[in-house]
Amino acid sequence: MPEFLPKELEEFRADLLDFLIDKVNLSSIELKEACLAKGIYKIPQPIEYGGSDAGPLKLAVCYETVASAGISNISDVIGPAPGILSGANDDIAKNYLYPMLRGDKTGSFAFTESDSSNPTVATWIEGDLRITGKKSYVSSVHNSDFMSVVLNVKHNDNSRPSGQAVLGIDTTTDGVVIGEPFVSLDGSAHSEVTFNDVIVSSNHVVGAIGEGIPRAIGGILKERLEQAAIATGMAIYAMSLVAENLMISHRSGGTLGDLEGVRLRYGEMRINTFATRATLYRAARILEKDQDSINEVTSAKVFCTETSSSIIDSAVQLVGGRGLINGHPLEVIYRKIRSMRLAGGATDVLRLSVSKGALEFDAGIL
């Protein structure tokens, strides 16, 4: 539980929450500037770039705390992380990683295949790679400068390396076709991306050929822990909104919180929020010690998003119709939490993954 955090993380969380308490209504630019001045905008970044190179536990604290303050766009507060580009070669670092960390470029992650019969592949043409195929649900790619694309490198002989890889590809490269963005329930936009004989240098390979899936899984693990933490913070935020509502005078003569049926539901919400936080911080501690924690982090992502969704749904029910009015804080997080049960892996797909990991690979702990 968060009560057993190291003292420095407890102090960090209290200081961060105190700082954010009056920042909810700032514009994105104003919030970034305030966080840069405070020295928290680069928390996930390497130390040499002014960051703290925060690990899973500190990042979980960050994500949960920012969401619990009612701020939806977490990156406005703590900035971008190296992500899948971490440890890349000099060309990738110069052209993509460092500009992204400075805020000069934005990137997107192309992982999901739109058609399993037409996978995204790269074939060798002397020292370059020719890419064909299609990716779907590439978030914010229409506003991105580059993509980190997971694909399979093939060869006709053994003279060149082959296997799964991640490539950095500019969105303006010849042959890259970005489809019209479609907007999800939570307001996020996604596009289908087609690669029509796109030619890039082999220097665009992130890491080494053959590292594609491990790099992708590492990025997905961080994303799932992030989603679990944000979902938990949103549940805490919903609880604070409900508590305020329960103290308002009610037509019954007292307050809504005086009614026994309301107290039963509110009690259940608090119990579930307690369990969600316990799950989040246990998973973060496990990941902090062992990167091979896919079942534990996946379990936390499923439990935290699903349970927080139930908590937020109950919050809307207790607050009533105004909680669904466009722009109400509960309406905003109600839409967001619903999408989070699909983003980063749909809940039922992840449940199957956890079962497969446990039954076929003896992975994970209880």
Side-chain angles (χ1 to χ4, degrees), residues 207-354:
I209 293 173
E211 293 181 356
I213 294 304
R215 278 187 173 272
I217 288 176
I220 289 170
L221 274 180
K222 292 175 182 176
E223 179 190 17
R224 289 177 183 169
L225 183 68
E226 175 183 343
Q227 289 175 329
I230 292 172
T232 302
M234 289 162 61
I236 296 170
Y237 182 51
M239 292 299 296
S240 67
L241 294 173
V242 168
E244 291 176 8
N245 187 73
L246 297 188
M247 301 305 294
I248 298 173
S249 297
H250 188 255
R251 61 179 178 272
S252 62
T255 66
L256 194 61
D258 293 331
L259 304 177
E260 186 175 25
V262 171
R263 289 194 173 203
L264 282 171
R265 176 164 291 201
Y266 179 70
E268 180 183 25
M269 293 165 66
R270 284 193 65 92
I271 292 167
N272 286 336
T273 303
F274 180 86
T276 301
R277 298 192 81 193
T279 300
L280 166 66
Y281 281 99
R282 186 180 183 209
R285 286 190 182 92
I286 292 172
L287 185 59
E288 185 95 4
K289 293 181 179 179
D290 184 6
Q291 292 298 311
D292 186 18
S293 310
I294 188 167
N295 258 29
E296 293 84 352
V297 174
T298 299
S299 298
K301 191 271 181 182
V302 171
F303 184 81
C304 292
T305 55
E306 289 290 328
T307 307
S308 295
S309 182
S310 175
I311 293 165
I312 293 168
D313 184 80
S314 293
V316 171
Q317 199 69 22
L318 288 179
V319 169
R322 66 181 180 279
L324 288 178
I325 295 173
N326 189 30
H328 189 281
L330 282 176
E331 182 266 343
V332 173
I333 63 175
Y334 186 80
R335 287 188 289 107
K336 183 171 183 177
I337 194 63
R338 185 61 189 86
S339 70
M340 291 172 68
R341 292 162 61 191
L342 289 169
T347 290
D348 282 347
V349 173
L350 297 186
R351 285 173 175 147
L352 290 173
S353 297
V354 170

